[in-house]
Amino acid sequence: MTDVLPGVRPTEIELKYRMTDVATGERLLAADELAGFTATGPAATVRHEDRYLDTADGALEAAGYAARLRSTTSGTIITLKGLVRQDNGGPAHTREELEGPADPSQPPAAWPPSAARDAVIDIVGDRPLLDLVALRQVRHKRDYALGGTVVEVSVDEVEVLVDSQVAERFAELELELREGDEADLEPLADMLGEIEELVAVDSSKFERAMEVVRREPRERDDDELVAVVDGAAISAEPEVRHGRSGAQRRRRRKHSQQATDLVAVPIEPDHDAEASALAGPAAVADEVVEVPRILVPKSPGVLGDDHIAEAARKVLRFHLARMVAREAGTREGADPEELHAMRVATRRQRAAWRVFGDAFDTKRTARHRKRLRLVAADLGAVRDLDVLIESIEAYQANQPENEAAALEPLVRSWRVRREMARGVLVRELDAERYRRWLDGYLAFVQSEGQGVHTVGPVEPHRVRDTMPSRVWGAYQSVRAYEPVMRWADVATLHELRIAAKWLRYTLEFVREALGRDAGPVIEKVVALQDHLGWLHDADVAAGLARAFLVEHAGDLTEPESAAIGRYLVDRERQLARLRRTVGTPWRGVSSLTFRRALGRLVAGL
């Protein structure tokens, strides 16, 4: 839907679902009535092949846009889609969308005038646009209407093309608001939320395609993603996050052709003979030196026959690589997503210790766990404030100028707290104790057999022997909330979120061993964790806004108090809506269908 108010850029309002079964979408399109909406005509089928473009240094993505070039029978269209989505408290997400005519044989400056062309020129200047990825899709679509509201429902079968080869196929259900109010989508959202084969998502096809590009093995040059350690180097792919939505979830990633910053960490060389055998150059202190290189694959690569402790070591080594790769960006502080990725990596490691920790000698590994917990806490203190600031800034962007300005005392307060937390974090990363810990920890994750409990030949010790009980144990901790879900308060739902997180991590760590069918099962758990994460964020924001109003009642002007009060009410409404709708993702993991799917995965180990 395009907003035509003067001074407001066009926006797209839509609901998106990942389909585990295309037939589900086809059945929906075959229905003449959906949640009170009536079909206005028969379904139609169109085919598109879209090219996504950017500059070599990712200028459009860094500015928060994806640029799509689509050729149609009437000409070529450039579409500029915002990567940042706004959650307006309703069932849908909105994002900026600009379109205009284009000529693929000409630079943007030569395209016919349009808002999309002007935006592209403003961002990229005269730099050439290069192909990133292509999507080929078959779209089955049908319009439905209720009163003055019109919604286009489409089932999209998508192929991701990397170097002209199909790298992945997936299917999505999309509902785009063509006319009417966003609130009119709620009955449709409620109906679709009851369908177990649908998983609500807010990521775009472009973002999913870029994840495929990043994990596809491709020819690498000197700009390979490498986190450099003095004495060792760890190569890591960019982090793919499942988590919060809207502005909190959008990541301004660098393209896979770009190098990460080099991270210098004083580590004693030759911790691992295999690592020493793989040499590669790295820049340290403005000098080129030869250092051993430890290459981390695109996934942990845990197999069913792995010793449980060595499976753990694979997971720890993989996420330590990601942590170290993001340290330089975290120190610099220019991009909050560097810190976010580093925090995610520490969280995954802590989760791995929880899932696999009993395979190790507690005394010999205690210092690794303790220091990792402290680093994670320092990262979390900064990241939580980043989330709050991003949320209120997104809220400000949708307010009149005077209302946005009146919120500044609260925003400034959170920014000051963030800088204080960041100071603590940087001092921790600079501390000698952190360097000594990282030295020993890096040696640990590279040394097979170190710190492992001795087991007899007939004691369960392989992944396939021990993980079934761990998976079911994590699931029973989630399902235990079933009797209280109808009246669960925010605190209880937060505990459920933690339980869901551990289930998710338990499954993700052994994803390869579980097989290809693990993806849809994990997505159901992620959907529940995401929903509860948004609920938690709204609750924290409301609580802090309320405390600020009380503490600064004598310092704020009347307009400032009123504006912050309205933000507080907005967060409380969001909290209430998320509590009211938690049943949908909950049923996704508590249903018989989910249990059967989980059982099949575990039985395959």
Side-chain angles (χ1 to χ4, degrees), residues 324-365:
V324 174
R326 300 294 185 171
E327 186 181 321
T330 297
R331 288 172 174 279
E332 183 181 356
D335 184 356
E337 292 305 329
E338 292 291 314
L339 182 144
H340 168 61
M342 187 174 180
R343 185 198 189 192
V344 168
T346 60
R347 275 185 163 181
R348 295 295 195 279
Q349 290 173 78
R350 291 191 64 207
W353 279 111
R354 172 169 171 156
V355 173
F356 303 111
D358 59 1
F360 296 96
D361 184 297
T362 302
K363 291 183 178 179
R364 296 176 64 186
T365 59

Side-chain angles (χ1 to χ4, degrees), residues 473-540:
Y475 181 66
Q476 74 182 21
S477 295
V478 171
R479 199 179 177 199
Y481 287 83
E482 192 169 46
V484 302
M485 283 301 295
R486 288 181 180 274
W487 52 81
D489 58 14
V490 173
T492 301
L493 292 173
H494 177 59
E495 294 299 320
L496 171 60
R497 174 184 170 230
I498 294 172
K501 178 172 64 177
W502 294 124
L503 173 60
R504 170 192 173 181
Y505 291 162
T506 302
L507 293 169
E508 285 182 341
F509 291 155
V510 293
R511 185 170 187 153
E512 289 90 342
L514 291 173
R516 298 180 61 181
D517 293 334
V521 173
I522 293 172
E523 283 188 348
K524 294 283 188 181
V525 183
V526 170
L528 175 62
Q529 185 189 344
D530 284 353
H531 190 103
L532 295 171
W534 307 328
L535 186 151
H536 177 66
D537 292 343
D539 181 51
V540 170

Side-chain angles (χ1 to χ4, degrees), residues 30-328:
D32 293 329
E33 188 270 337
L34 296 175
F37 283 75
T38 303
T40 61
T45 299
V46 295
R47 289 172 171 80
H48 299 299
E49 184 158 334
D50 301 326
R51 293 164 50 203
Y52 285 88
L53 313 172
D54 207 340
T55 61
D57 60 352
L60 286 167
E61 190 175 8
Y65 292 101
R68 183 187 72 195
L69 207 62
R70 173 177 289 177
S71 295
T72 69
T73 55
S74 58
T76 302
I77 297 172
I78 180 68
T79 302
L80 207 61
K81 291 178 176 281
L83 295 176
V84 176
R85 292 170 182 78
Q86 303 297 329
D87 183 348
N88 298 323
H93 293 274
T94 67
R95 62 175 175 170
E96 186 179 340
E97 181 179 278
L98 303 172
E99 285 191 343
D103 183 345
S105 66
Q106 297 291 330
W111 295 349
S114 71
R117 183 203 68 168
D118 293 345
V120 170
I121 293 173
D122 287 344
I123 295 168
V124 308
D126 58 0
R127 285 172 288 180
L129 292 174
L130 310 175
D131 284 348
L132 295 179
V133 68
L135 294 183
R136 187 163 57 210
Q137 60 179 315
V138 178
R139 165 168 280 200
H140 311 284
K141 61 181 183 178
R142 194 176 189 185
D143 285 348
Y144 290 80
L146 176 62
T149 301
V150 178
V151 178
E152 181 186 272
V153 180
S154 66
V155 174
D156 301 338
E157 299 178 64
V158 184
E159 293 179 336
V160 180
L161 305 178
V162 178
D163 298 330
S164 300
Q165 300 296 317
V166 176
E168 182 168 305
R169 295 179 175 89
F170 62 90
E172 287 188 352
L173 176 73
E174 291 189 1
L175 289 81
E176 183 174 350
L177 186 63
R178 294 296 191 182
E179 298 177 23
D181 189 88
E182 179 183 343
D184 295 335
L185 293 175
E186 289 197 15
L188 286 165
D190 291 342
M191 180 201 72
L192 297 174
E194 298 291 334
I195 301 175
E196 292 186 357
E197 292 80 10
L198 300 179
V199 178
V201 295
D202 69 343
S203 59
S204 66
K205 295 184 181 76
F206 165 74
E207 289 166 304
R208 177 155 183 178
M210 289 307 296
E211 290 179 6
V212 174
V213 170
R214 291 180 178 107
R215 70 172 182 257
E216 278 293 299
R218 311 185 68 162
E219 289 187 7
R220 295 183 180 270
D221 53 24
D222 291 338
D223 287 337
E224 181 181 17
L225 279 170
V226 177
V228 176
V229 182
D230 186 12
I234 299 177
S235 172
E237 294 293 329
E239 172 69 10
V240 178
R241 183 193 183 198
H242 299 283
R244 295 165 180 156
S245 71
Q248 299 166 11
R249 215 179 148 188
R250 303 283 63 81
R251 312 199 56 184
R252 296 181 178 181
R253 301 167 188 251
K254 304 298 181 185
H255 297 302
S256 58
Q257 299 97 320
Q258 292 179 270
T260 59
D261 293 326
L262 298 178
V263 184
V265 182
I267 297 291
E268 291 297 323
D270 299 326
H271 285 309
D272 185 282
E274 179 182 353
S276 301
L278 299 172
V284 179
D286 298 325
E287 296 181 6
V288 177
V289 296
E290 292 293 319
V291 297
R293 173 174 295 173
I294 303 168
L295 297 176
V296 178
K298 62 183 180 180
S299 65
V302 172
L303 303 176
D305 286 324
D306 284 345
H307 189 292
I308 195 68
E310 299 315 316
R313 209 180 305 272
K314 285 182 177 181
V315 174
L316 292 169
R317 184 165 59 241
F318 179 80
H319 291 291
L320 177 59
R322 293 184 168 192
M323 187 189 92
V324 174
R326 300 294 185 171
E327 186 181 321

Side-chain angles (χ1 to χ4, degrees), residues 344-398:
V344 168
T346 60
R347 275 185 163 181
R348 295 295 195 279
Q349 290 173 78
R350 291 191 64 207
W353 279 111
R354 172 169 171 156
V355 173
F356 303 111
D358 59 1
F360 296 96
D361 184 297
T362 302
K363 291 183 178 179
R364 296 176 64 186
T365 59
R367 75 184 188 98
H368 298 318
R369 303 188 197 200
K370 180 180 179 181
R371 181 55 55 188
L372 190 64
R373 183 173 66 250
L374 294 174
V375 172
D378 289 339
L379 289 164
V382 182
R383 177 57 188 169
D384 289 345
L385 285 160
D386 278 340
V387 169
L388 286 168
I389 293 166
E390 289 172 6
S391 174
I392 197 169
E393 286 178 344
Y395 175 85
Q396 280 182 299
N398 291 320

Side-chain angles (χ1 to χ4, degrees), residues 392-412:
I392 197 169
E393 286 178 344
Y395 175 85
Q396 280 182 299
N398 291 320
Q399 304 304 311
E401 185 175 347
N402 59 338
E403 182 83 355
L407 290 165
E408 275 302 311
L410 178 59
V411 180
R412 283 197 302 270

